[in-house]
Amino acid sequence: MAIAKAGATNNTFGSLVTGANVMKVPGLNTLGVSMARIDYAPGGINPPHTHPRATEMIFVLEGELDVGFITTSNVLITKHIVKGEVFAFPRGLVHFQQNNGDVPAAVVAGFNSQLPGTQSIATTLFASSPSVPDHVLTKTFQVGTKEIQKIKSRLAPKK
Amino acid sequence: MAIAKAGATNNTFGSLVTGANVMKVPGLNTLGVSMARIDYAPGGINPPHTHPRATEMIFVLEGELDVGFITTSNVLITKHIVKGEVFAFPRGLVHFQQNNGDVPAAVVAGFNSQLPGTQSIATTLFASSPSVPDHVLTKTFQVGTKEIQKIKSRLAPKK
Amino acid sequence: MAIAKAGATNNTFGSLVTGANVMKVPGLNTLGVSMARIDYAPGGINPPHTHPRATEMIFVLEGELDVGFITTSNVLITKHIVKGEVFAFPRGLVHFQQNNGDVPAAVVAGFNSQLPGTQSIATTLFASSPSVPDHVLTKTFQVGTKEIQKIKSRLAPKK
Amino acid sequence: MAIAKAGATNNTFGSLVTGANVMKVPGLNTLGVSMARIDYAPGGINPPHTHPRATEMIFVLEGELDVGFITTSNVLITKHIVKGEVFAFPRGLVHFQQNNGDVPAAVVAGFNSQLPGTQSIATTLFASSPSVPDHVLTKTFQVGTKEIQKIKSRLAPKK
Amino acid sequence: MAIAKAGATNNTFGSLVTGANVMKVPGLNTLGVSMARIDYAPGGINPPHTHPRATEMIFVLEGELDVGFITTSNVLITKHIVKGEVFAFPRGLVHFQQNNGDVPAAVVAGFNSQLPGTQSIATTLFASSPSVPDHVLTKTFQVGTKEIQKIKSRLAPKK
Amino acid sequence: MAIAKAGATNNTFGSLVTGANVMKVPGLNTLGVSMARIDYAPGGINPPHTHPRATEMIFVLEGELDVGFITTSNVLITKHIVKGEVFAFPRGLVHFQQNNGDVPAAVVAGFNSQLPGTQSIATTLFASSPSVPDHVLTKTFQVGTKEIQKIKSRLAPKK
């Protein structure tokens, strides 16, 4: 299994996750670990998301990143990390990484689950199938249907 | 410990969670369980949120609810449940309950953790302290700063 | 899955447990939680029992109950709880609930296992199949065969 | 730590458990194992009991034993085991061993907990402190107060 | 299942392990425990080995043993134990037992896994199939190929 | 915490492990993950060792490696891996990595424990403090005291 090459990052978020979990590496079954490589274009973001079944620890392969997670007390913890530095995102908490530099960045991530699972928050709420009803989202974000539908259209899967 | 009374639901979301976890019931320490009572005004919502450390199972005490969660394959699972029915939200997945009826609703929830923790998604992203930077959120939701700041202002803590 | 109705409590113990575990709700598989509704006639008892695989936490739906469990130091812990109150029974310990009031009582219980299992002590020792030998029970309870057989006859399954 | 000598078995049940758990062997802390030696006089019984936190596996050091446990389906599983044989009692289930032979018997037990805990059923129900109320026990065993008090007096701690 | 008889110890190491794990006792499945009997000729050794999935606790059935394990700080912990004494080897650490007495010795071991697994270090490194390359072992033990091949020949499986 | 720089590999084994575990990154406490960077000189080896408390998964940062582990059935599993490839070593099993290339190699490793622990087999057996007795090692490796003392002298800590 190789996750050697930089993933193609010319997409909406300017980032790509290439997983090496039990779905791709069957030998990981029962071992309780997996890895992933994440590439970021300049300006790219791995947008706020959670892993329901794993803590994640990253090692910066190249470039620089602004990383953060929010605690259950609603406190945002952030750090600027550079090549060779590590950072951990506790199990189940919303977190993100952004490349605010001028050159590509990349990390390798280790997880304490063979299948961490991912919920990318914006996609989860605005682009699921079927769709989360507008009246749930207007209540949730306290804005009108117009704003909700705008976000939905922006995040809709490309055809 | 009593969670007998209906919580006051005259707030932004029209719902209130009254927890009976280890912070309030010290005897739960090491026992790996907790409960909560959730009250919903007519039209009220317990907006999309996650519990990083627990699966949740609810029992409807009164009224009716539309409940749902989104899987890691981004599929929305929903159900309409009435008094006496149960429903489970798997550990770490985004879920919500909404009272679309004309009368108040209430549930009692059981958790397989003495301290499940909660991240209410909208509040986590738009009302943390310090604030998640606008440029993270514009990238994430693919809208402009104006929309982001609008949501932030709507969800800002009341003074 | 509904556990809405009060169970029929016109039986030996004056109580009925209606479970919502993985045998009845297959979707609970791997989720590690389950619930049950327990109804008690006036004077009814959920007699001393254990759950080998779960801690239990109850919420009183209606009426009042005298509840208790015995610790591994052989200390009896008891409490009188009313509607809306909660109480926890640690994993594996002998516990019971009794309705000493004049009106029916009911609780909803949460467990940190999808299949807690139950051993109702009196039935386990005096009404198993095959039967626990009399000489085991006379030694255990330090009484004669007559008393043992009397209890066995009282607890024998109705035909 | 030695559990070499046969325990004194001239007591009510004709058996004695000598534990080697974390309370006696502090080095077992965090290791998740413990052992015990159990001695049985001819006719002696280790009466029905549970270990809330461990499965137990025994190895017969000398003599012969009739052993049994009851499942959560209320089925009694029994076996006659002799020197050198092993048997396992699943976590939390009621079980017992009886020496129906003419000579002393002994086993060494292994547990998958550094502190398994024990609830000896008869003592738990009839000799706890404070006492389980008579009306709980009469309901539970479906006999009168006279029988209950008889068992209580027989099992009362020796002064 | 019986592990009653002393195993034949007229082999290279002068010891024999007779396991009672889930491969031999299918009923142990999911129970998380197993046992083994180990016999030692005078001068016999159960050479340094690990159990990847279990802590082990032993009880001396007869004779005397010198036992030891090495911590992750590379400290050797040793003890001389006699009949009736117990000792524990923490999960995954290299350990051994040697009978330096004039008479046979034996222990019964309890494990907190139904299938602890064993890696006998010398056999693992010098007699695996296929063979660990000589250049790995010369580097590892800082000696020449001659010494490595000598050990390999001594530990090669008997034909 | 940075593990960015190549460790100094001019030592006995031609490799260096730089850990990022809870002893160095206190914030990892309770999170159940850690990482390490391992550097290898040309010809360098990370000699056979175990991690008692973790499975390890590695990602090759640069160079090429021959990696292997031995199963509990004494089968050697090996693979040649290059930059960007991943490989996993199951919890508690003896494993090693060797750089048979002409240029330095490096990996980043992820563990499913905040403190995996390490037992480097040769050092554990031949350079512990106090020393494992010669007669244990001669029996174990089936060679004479001369060979054992030779290995001990080669692996003795540098003064």
Side-chain angles (χ1 to χ4, degrees), chain E residues 46-64:
Chain E
N46 185 7
H49 62 285
T50 66
H51 302 294
R53 293 184 290 270
T55 290
E56 175 181 3
M57 192 167 179
I58 58 172
F59 170 90
V60 182
L61 294 172
E62 56 178 332
E64 308 188 4

Side-chain angles (χ1 to χ4, degrees), chain A residues 30-80:
Chain A
T30 78
L31 294 190
V33 296
S34 57
M35 285 189 135
R37 175 199 177 100
I38 315 171
D39 288 282
Y40 313 82
I45 191 171
N46 185 8
H49 62 285
T50 66
H51 303 295
R53 292 184 291 270
T55 289
E56 174 181 5
M57 192 168 180
I58 58 171
F59 170 90
V60 182
L61 295 172
E62 56 179 332
E64 308 187 5
L65 290 167
D66 290 291
V67 301
F69 68 88
I70 297 99
T71 72
T72 51
S73 302
N74 220 23
V75 173
L76 172 66
I77 308 290
T78 53
K79 196 173 182 192
H80 182 78

Side-chain angles (χ1 to χ4, degrees), chain C residues 58-137:
Chain C
I58 58 171
F59 170 90
V60 182
L61 294 172
E62 57 179 331
E64 307 188 5
L65 289 168
D66 290 292
V67 301
F69 67 88
I70 297 100
T71 72
T72 52
S73 302
N74 220 22
V75 173
L76 172 67
I77 308 290
T78 54
K79 197 173 181 192
H80 182 78
I81 56 176
V82 302
K83 184 173 179 174
E85 287 189 311
V86 295
F87 196 80
F89 306 103
R91 184 181 302 248
L93 296 188
V94 173
H95 61 286
F96 58 91
Q97 304 102 28
Q98 189 167 28
N99 177 8
N100 292 311
D102 297 328
V103 296
V107 306
V108 61
F111 300 90
N112 57 356
S113 164
Q114 67 218 25
L115 193 60
T118 297
Q119 288 206 297
S120 192
I121 297 302
T123 307
T124 295
L125 289 180
F126 292 92
S128 68
S129 171
S131 193
V132 175
D134 284 3
H135 62 91
V136 168
L137 296 171

Side-chain angles (χ1 to χ4, degrees), chain E residues 70 94 119 147 150 154, chain F residues 70 94 119 142 147 150:
Chain E
I70 297 100
V94 173
Q119 289 205 297
E147 284 88 349
K150 185 175 184 179
R154 298 288 168 82
Chain F
I70 297 100
V94 173
Q119 289 206 298
Q142 297 285 308
E147 283 89 349
K150 185 174 185 180

Side-chain angles (χ1 to χ4, degrees), chain E residues 75-86:
Chain E
V75 173
L76 172 67
I77 308 290
T78 54
K79 196 172 183 192
H80 181 79
I81 56 174
V82 302
K83 184 173 178 174
E85 286 188 312
V86 295

Side-chain angles (χ1 to χ4, degrees), chain C residues 12-13 43 48 70 74-76 93-94 98 119 121 123-124 127 129-131 135-136 139-140 142 147 150 154, chain D residues 12-13 43 48 70 74-76 93-94 98 119 121 123-124 127 129-131 135-136 139-140 142 147 150 154:
Chain C
T12 300
F13 296 116
I70 297 100
N74 220 22
V75 173
L76 172 67
L93 296 188
V94 173
Q98 189 167 28
Q119 288 206 297
I121 297 302
T123 307
T124 295
S129 171
S131 193
H135 62 91
V136 168
K139 267 274 184 182
T140 297
Q142 297 286 308
E147 283 89 347
K150 184 174 185 179
R154 297 289 168 82
Chain D
T12 300
F13 295 116
I70 297 100
N74 220 22
V75 173
L76 172 66
L93 297 188
V94 173
Q98 189 167 27
Q119 290 206 297
I121 297 303
T123 307
T124 295
S129 171
S131 194
H135 62 90
V136 168
K139 268 275 186 183
T140 298
Q142 297 285 308
E147 284 88 350
K150 184 175 186 180
R154 298 287 169 85

